Amino acid sequence: MHMARGFLFGLVLLVAAGAAAPGSAADGTIKGTVDIRRSLLVTEPRPASSALGAGPRRPAEFRPAVVYLEKAPGGAFELPEGGRTSMDQRDQAFVPHVLAITVGTTVDFPNSDLTFHNVFSLSRTKSFDLGRYSRGKSKAVRFDRPGVVQVFCDIHSHMSAYILVFAHRYFAVTDRAGTYAIDRVPPGTYTLAVWHEGEVRETRTVTVSDAGTSLDANFIIR
């Protein structure tokens, strides 16, 4: 419920009060770091299979945060036709573990493992089941509504991932150093949210005041 209030509610709001039209010379950048103290690296058990060359545990996995504006500036919903990206199935894991996209984007789900995989979701935003398919095969899904989609494999219960679908482009996924940058933000006051592993962890009010503003917003998530 907390995630629904903090993420989904923010996605359907169209305009931030007082914001100029995006794409102007007065646009600024919101940047900073997200320090997730409980660990950005996660190891999980998996069934050992010497025939597949897999050990008893997956390698340490980077799980980033997503930073985004809860209310998009005016004109933000004039998005171009959705693009295409991919979420691989590799070493019995979805790679990347977190994918942030805009509405209309098609995601390919290639299988790079020697074993069969399945990709499915029961999420309200997008429910689908691609069935089981072997190495070298790929199937795709187009995401046409904003929200959070959790993805699983029905063969390997330890496999899961998240796809965050936005109706605007004002978001960024943190890199391995925890840094992020959201550029071309028109002057205005916004609520900046940090999402990590299924929940909105923190929100903060920020103001992009004038032309060329570079605003630092750092977070510590405990």
Side-chain angles (χ1 to χ4, degrees):
M1 182 64 70
H2 181 92
M3 179 181 69
R5 289 198 304 269
F7 182 82
L8 297 177
F9 178 72
L11 287 181
V12 298
L13 292 172
L14 301 186
V15 181
S24 70
D27 292 348
T29 298
I30 302 172
K31 61 182 178 64
T33 60
V34 179
D35 181 0
I36 302 175
R37 293 295 174 89
R38 64 196 187 103
S39 182
L40 284 169
L41 295 176
V42 178
T43 58
E44 291 182 353
R46 65 177 173 193
S49 175
S50 57
L52 298 175
R57 298 186 71 85
R58 287 194 291 170
E61 181 183 0
F62 174 68
R63 295 191 170 181
V66 181
V67 186
Y68 63 92
L69 301 185
E70 279 196 349
K71 295 182 181 181
F77 288 76
E78 299 169 5
L79 291 172
E81 186 67 24
R84 199 172 194 111
T85 188
S86 66
M87 176 176 279
D88 200 359
Q89 298 159 89
R90 186 169 68 243
D91 195 25
Q92 293 188 25
F94 289 107
V95 182
H97 176 72
V98 175
L99 191 62
I101 61 175
T102 55
V103 167
T105 299
T106 296
V107 178
D108 293 300
F109 295 94
N111 181 0
S112 297
D113 279 342
L114 293 176
T115 185
F116 276 74
H117 282 303
N118 160 267
V119 184
F120 78 94
S121 178
L122 301 177
S123 302
R124 293 177 62 184
T125 299
K126 188 71 174 184
S127 178
F128 60 90
D129 189 334
L130 300 183
R132 300 184 177 192
Y133 52 101
S134 61
R135 184 178 188 177
K137 304 291 185 181
S138 182
K139 297 186 179 183
V141 176
R142 185 178 187 273
F143 293 85
D144 48 13
R145 293 177 55 194
V148 180
V149 179
Q150 192 165 14
V151 178
F152 301 94
C153 171
D154 73 357
I155 303 174
H156 305 97
S157 59
H158 55 277
M159 290 178 62
S160 67
Y162 289 97
I163 299 175
L164 280 66
V165 188
F166 290 88
H168 61 75
R169 61 170 183 78
Y170 298 93
F171 60 87
V173 179
T174 56
D175 63 16
R176 287 186 173 274
T179 64
Y180 73 92
I182 304 172
D183 59 10
R184 296 190 296 162
V185 181
T189 298
Y190 307 96
T191 299
L192 192 64
V194 179
W195 179 99
H196 184 257
E197 285 297 290
E199 294 184 34
V200 174
R201 304 290 178 175
E202 188 175 334
T203 61
R204 180 181 305 171
T205 300
V206 297
T207 298
V208 177
S209 58
D210 51 29
T213 295
S214 182
L215 174 68
D216 288 322
N218 300 316
F219 298 86
I220 298 176
I221 308 300
R222 302 181 186 278

